[in-house]
Amino acid sequence: MLSTHLGKLAAIAGAALVAVTSGPETTSSRAPADDPVDYKKEIEPLLQKHCFKCHGDRKQKGDMQLNVLDPQMGTRADAEGWHAALDVINAGEMPPEDEEQFSDEERRKVVAWLTESLAAAADRQKGERAVVLRRLTTAQYTNSLQDLLGVSIDFAKTLPEDGKAKNGFSNNGEVLQASQLHLDNYQQIARMGLEQAIASEKPEVTHYRVTFGKGRGKGKVAGRTGGYQSVPLTPEDFTVDILKDGAPIQGGSDAERKQREQIQRKISVGLRGSGQDRFRAVDEGMVLLSALPHREKVPKAWQGPSPNLKLEMQRVWPEQGDFVMRVKASRGYLPPLRKQLLVQLDEPSPRAQWQNGEVVIVDGAWVIPADKTDQHKNLAMAGGFLRPKEV
């Protein structure tokens, strides 16, 4: 079994780094000419004499204009244009029969210059393609090892974050650098994965149980939650048990009891974004009154009309391994409430009215004209109205 895992892991490690493009050659495949040809002095006059008349500024027969092509052939379009000219000159089709022809020496010189320049341009373009050492992304590496070894470890958490290309993709080979840090982490990750996959002993499993009920936690140990806009559930209304073989662990030495209590104080319950009237602890458990008519008032219920029960377990989960959370719930009922169920809403009525071009105040309301406020940012008076400068 061990040899099988090692063999597969070696395959993954080998697949993590793959060169996907050929790199630049250290030397050009063509020897440079002994005496470089001067285009301006030697070639352009010949093209001016025999070609530019029909393929220049005034005429572009066959949609070909040679006098605007870059003699350095820096772009693909320029190289294709010069290659088309080479084909017709080499074949003797240009210049046409009714025009002055190249001499043999002139034709050889132009053909040689075109051939050498096109080959050099091709070599330059090939040289710009850098070697790309294609490796797996951190997500791909984690998924591969998890499938291979049958463990659910987050292998990528110790790896540097993947870079992103200009187009936003993180699996672009050009940005997936393979540093020494990656290689060192690959070895560490492989060891960690094998230790988990071929563990000699079954890992210890810990079970916690939180039970709700009115007054059932009185005299017992549990945590009290805090946090922004969180209504804490009193520890008297729930219990925290640490289980062994399905039963709460009890008794033991003073040190063992203190250790259990230390864990129990790290487990707490709160209702985030809810007022006290949105939930109720009853003998059977906890009732969440999500259907209770309710005014949303900051800060009591700023997250919405339904209560949001929160279970906090601070530094209780293991750093490695899996965990499962199970919730036992059922259809609830409406317990006796501390106040009437139906909330009396105020009847909407105007506090000020606009009559005959004037504001008429009703029931002692305060009316502040918009142009009298100090909130004029992004506003300007126009036509008797405050209008936004930018919308």
Side-chain angles (χ1 to χ4, degrees):
M1 184 67 177
L2 176 58
S3 60
T4 302
H5 280 304
L6 287 173
K8 291 182 179 179
L9 193 61
I12 286 293
L17 302 172
V18 180
V20 296
T21 63
S22 58
E25 300 174 3
T26 55
T27 59
S28 175
S29 59
R30 300 180 58 87
D34 295 335
D35 297 316
V37 176
D38 189 327
Y39 172 79
K40 283 291 185 182
K41 292 182 178 180
E42 301 182 54
I43 303 302
E44 189 175 46
L46 297 177
L47 298 178
Q48 183 74 40
K49 178 180 178 182
H50 298 286
C51 302
F52 289 173
K53 179 180 178 181
C54 297
H55 303 284
D57 293 328
R58 297 181 61 185
K59 295 182 182 179
Q60 296 88 39
K61 289 187 176 181
D63 292 329
M64 181 183 293
Q65 185 175 357
L66 298 179
N67 67 324
V68 296
L69 296 179
D70 180 10
Q72 299 298 323
M73 304 181 190
T75 67
R76 180 169 184 161
D78 291 323
E80 289 177 351
W82 286 119
H83 196 281
L86 173 62
D87 288 342
V88 294
I89 294 174
N90 231 347
E93 298 176 3
M94 291 293 170
E97 294 180 356
D98 56 347
E99 297 290 343
E100 182 178 357
Q101 300 294 309
F102 285 110
S103 66
D104 292 342
E105 179 61 28
E106 290 173 339
R107 189 179 298 275
R108 278 195 295 270
K109 180 177 288 190
V110 172
V111 169
W113 174 81
L114 285 169
T115 303
E116 292 291 335
S117 298
L118 287 168
D123 285 345
R124 286 197 302 273
Q125 186 179 17
K126 184 191 300 182
E128 293 173 356
R129 297 174 62 195
V131 172
V132 176
L133 195 61
R134 174 69 166 87
R135 65 168 176 81
L136 299 179
T137 65
T138 54
Q140 291 169 341
Y141 190 70
T142 289
N143 293 337
S144 299
L145 285 181
Q146 288 179 349
D147 291 343
L148 174 65
L149 301 177
V151 295
S152 56
I153 302 174
D154 182 8
F155 293 99
K157 68 179 181 180
T158 60
L159 290 172
E161 186 176 352
D162 293 328
K164 288 187 178 181
K166 293 181 179 179
N167 55 15
F169 289 99
S170 61
N171 59 352
N172 188 323
E174 294 183 356
V175 298
L176 288 175
Q177 303 298 324
S179 64
Q180 183 62 42
L181 180 60
H182 282 91
L183 299 178
D184 291 342
N185 276 283
Y186 285 147
Q187 294 180 351
Q188 178 182 351
I189 288 169
R191 295 190 191 98
M192 180 175 62
L194 285 174
E195 289 174 359
Q196 293 289 329
I198 56 177
S200 58
E201 297 180 1
K202 183 178 179 180
E204 182 179 356
V205 178
T206 303
H207 292 90
Y208 304 102
R209 184 175 64 194
V210 178
T211 308
F212 299 99
K214 182 67 175 176
R216 67 173 295 122
K218 185 175 294 186
K220 299 182 179 180
V221 179
R224 188 179 183 89
T225 191
Y228 180 67
Q229 296 298 341
S230 184
V231 178
L233 181 64
T234 173
E236 294 186 357
D237 290 340
F238 69 97
T239 57
V240 176
D241 295 314
I242 303 174
L243 308 181
K244 183 176 182 179
D245 298 328
I249 301 175
Q250 296 178 349
S253 65
D254 289 342
E256 290 173 340
R257 286 197 297 270
K258 288 181 180 179
Q259 185 179 15
R260 290 199 302 270
E261 291 176 359
Q262 186 178 9
I263 295 175
Q264 290 169 327
R265 288 191 177 94
K266 294 179 180 179
I267 301 177
S268 59
V269 178
L271 286 103
R272 185 173 174 84
S274 297
Q276 292 281 359
D277 57 340
R278 312 311 307 281
F279 61 92
R280 191 79 68 249
V282 296
D283 293 340
E284 300 89 341
M286 170 76 67
V287 177
L288 304 181
L289 302 172
S290 58
L292 179 67
H294 185 70
R295 290 185 192 174
E296 297 308 321
K297 290 184 178 180
V298 177
K300 289 187 176 180
W302 63 280
Q303 283 195 326
S306 297
N308 183 356
L309 189 142
K310 174 184 65 174
L311 174 66
E312 285 190 358
M313 304 185 72
Q314 301 177 17
R315 298 178 298 278
V316 174
W317 302 111
E319 294 183 0
Q320 297 180 355
D322 298 328
F323 69 87
V324 176
M325 176 176 285
R326 296 183 177 91
V327 178
K328 183 178 180 181
S330 65
R331 183 185 297 274
Y333 62 92
L334 190 64
L337 301 177
R338 288 191 290 265
K339 63 180 182 179
Q340 62 182 13
L341 173 63
L342 298 179
V343 178
Q344 180 65 41
L345 299 177
D346 295 334
E347 290 294 332
S349 60
R351 299 305 186 203
Q353 297 178 354
W354 184 263
Q355 296 180 358
N356 302 322
E358 295 183 353
V359 176
V360 179
I361 299 175
V362 180
D363 295 336
W366 291 3
V367 177
I368 302 176
D371 60 351
K372 301 299 183 183
T373 71
D374 58 354
Q375 305 296 319
H376 285 174
K377 184 178 180 180
N378 196 40
L379 296 173
M381 182 66 71
F385 295 92
L386 282 174
R387 303 183 185 276
K389 301 175 184 177
E390 297 179 2
V391 179

